[in-house]
PDB file of all heavy atoms in Angstrom:
ATOM      1  N   ARG A 535     -26.940  39.504  20.730  1.00  0.00           N
ATOM      2  CA  ARG A 535     -27.073  40.701  19.889  1.00  0.00           C
ATOM      3  C   ARG A 535     -25.983  40.949  18.952  1.00  0.00           C
ATOM      4  O   ARG A 535     -26.068  41.390  17.912  1.00  0.00           O
ATOM      5  CB  ARG A 535     -27.478  41.851  20.744  1.00  0.00           C
ATOM      6  CG  ARG A 535     -28.831  41.809  21.489  1.00  0.00           C
ATOM      7  CD  ARG A 535     -29.086  43.098  22.220  1.00  0.00           C
ATOM      8  NE  ARG A 535     -28.046  43.496  23.227  1.00  0.00           N
ATOM      9  CZ  ARG A 535     -27.944  43.027  24.390  1.00  0.00           C
ATOM     10  NH1 ARG A 535     -28.741  41.995  24.909  1.00  0.00           N
ATOM     11  NH2 ARG A 535     -26.991  43.440  25.124  1.00  0.00           N
ATOM     12  N   GLN A 536     -24.770  40.674  19.565  1.00  0.00           N
ATOM     13  CA  GLN A 536     -23.480  40.983  18.721  1.00  0.00           C
ATOM     14  C   GLN A 536     -23.295  40.121  17.589  1.00  0.00           C
ATOM     15  O   GLN A 536     -22.473  40.403  16.669  1.00  0.00           O
ATOM     16  CB  GLN A 536     -22.242  40.922  19.654  1.00  0.00           C
ATOM     17  CG  GLN A 536     -21.972  39.542  20.265  1.00  0.00           C
ATOM     18  CD  GLN A 536     -22.627  39.302  21.557  1.00  0.00           C
ATOM     19  OE1 GLN A 536     -23.836  39.487  21.771  1.00  0.00           O
ATOM     20  NE2 GLN A 536     -21.752  39.009  22.574  1.00  0.00           N
ATOM     21  N   VAL A 537     -24.095  39.098  17.419  1.00  0.00           N
ATOM     22  CA  VAL A 537     -24.144  38.224  16.266  1.00  0.00           C
ATOM     23  C   VAL A 537     -24.792  38.830  14.984  1.00  0.00           C
ATOM     24  O   VAL A 537     -24.711  38.428  13.978  1.00  0.00           O
ATOM     25  CB  VAL A 537     -24.616  36.807  16.556  1.00  0.00           C
ATOM     26  CG1 VAL A 537     -24.612  35.798  15.334  1.00  0.00           C
ATOM     27  CG2 VAL A 537     -23.772  36.152  17.716  1.00  0.00           C
ATOM     28  N   ARG A 538     -25.700  39.740  15.312  1.00  0.00           N
ATOM     29  CA  ARG A 538     -26.540  40.318  14.330  1.00  0.00           C
ATOM     30  C   ARG A 538     -25.836  40.715  13.116  1.00  0.00           C
ATOM     31  O   ARG A 538     -24.666  41.226  13.203  1.00  0.00           O
ATOM     32  CB  ARG A 538     -27.268  41.591  15.002  1.00  0.00           C
ATOM     33  CG  ARG A 538     -28.692  41.764  14.632  1.00  0.00           C
ATOM     34  CD  ARG A 538     -29.291  42.904  15.262  1.00  0.00           C
ATOM     35  NE  ARG A 538     -29.659  42.669  16.765  1.00  0.00           N
ATOM     36  CZ  ARG A 538     -30.030  43.633  17.579  1.00  0.00           C
ATOM     37  NH1 ARG A 538     -30.138  44.798  17.190  1.00  0.00           N
ATOM     38  NH2 ARG A 538     -30.339  43.289  18.783  1.00  0.00           N
ATOM     39  N   ILE A 539     -26.428  40.487  11.949  1.00  0.00           N
ATOM     40  CA  ILE A 539     -25.793  40.826  10.675  1.00  0.00           C
ATOM     41  C   ILE A 539     -26.778  41.652  10.013  1.00  0.00           C
ATOM     42  O   ILE A 539     -27.917  41.417   9.762  1.00  0.00           O
ATOM     43  CB  ILE A 539     -25.491  39.540   9.856  1.00  0.00           C
ATOM     44  CG1 ILE A 539     -24.513  38.629  10.598  1.00  0.00           C
ATOM     45  CG2 ILE A 539     -25.007  39.915   8.430  1.00  0.00           C
ATOM     46  CD1 ILE A 539     -24.391  37.231   9.992  1.00  0.00           C
ATOM     47  N   GLU A 540     -26.129  42.834   9.512  1.00  0.00           N
ATOM     48  CA  GLU A 540     -26.935  43.771   8.720  1.00  0.00           C
ATOM     49  C   GLU A 540     -27.480  43.205   7.488  1.00  0.00           C
ATOM     50  O   GLU A 540     -26.615  42.579   6.718  1.00  0.00           O
ATOM     51  CB  GLU A 540     -26.265  45.004   8.479  1.00  0.00           C
ATOM     52  CG  GLU A 540     -27.156  46.038   7.895  1.00  0.00           C
ATOM     53  CD  GLU A 540     -26.764  47.445   8.431  1.00  0.00           C
ATOM     54  OE1 GLU A 540     -25.947  47.524   9.403  1.00  0.00           O
ATOM     55  OE2 GLU A 540     -27.307  48.454   7.947  1.00  0.00           O
ATOM     56  N   GLY A 541     -28.734  43.217   7.186  1.00  0.00           N
ATOM     57  CA  GLY A 541     -29.268  42.699   5.939  1.00  0.00           C
ATOM     58  C   GLY A 541     -29.873  41.285   5.979  1.00  0.00           C
ATOM     59  O   GLY A 541     -30.411  40.811   5.063  1.00  0.00           O
ATOM     60  N   MET A 542     -29.754  40.635   7.101  1.00  0.00           N
ATOM     61  CA  MET A 542     -30.409  39.362   7.196  1.00  0.00           C
ATOM     62  C   MET A 542     -30.642  39.123   8.684  1.00  0.00           C
ATOM     63  O   MET A 542     -30.070  39.628   9.638  1.00  0.00           O
ATOM     64  CB  MET A 542     -29.506  38.277   6.602  1.00  0.00           C
ATOM     65  CG  MET A 542     -28.409  37.784   7.530  1.00  0.00           C
ATOM     66  SD  MET A 542     -27.454  36.545   6.689  1.00  0.00           S
ATOM     67  CE  MET A 542     -28.716  35.513   6.107  1.00  0.00           C
ATOM     68  N   THR A 543     -31.599  38.171   8.933  1.00  0.00           N
ATOM     69  CA  THR A 543     -32.058  37.871  10.318  1.00  0.00           C
ATOM     70  C   THR A 543     -31.382  36.490  10.648  1.00  0.00           C
ATOM     71  O   THR A 543     -31.444  35.612   9.852  1.00  0.00           O
ATOM     72  CB  THR A 543     -33.564  37.724  10.390  1.00  0.00           C
ATOM     73  OG1 THR A 543     -34.033  36.960   9.355  1.00  0.00           O
ATOM     74  CG2 THR A 543     -34.165  39.174  10.298  1.00  0.00           C
TER      75      THR A 543
END
Side-chain angles (χ1 to χ4, degrees):
Chain A
R535 292 185 305 278
Q536 62 269 56
V537 177
R538 222 177 280 175
I539 298 168
E540 188 141 350
M542 78 182 313
T543 51

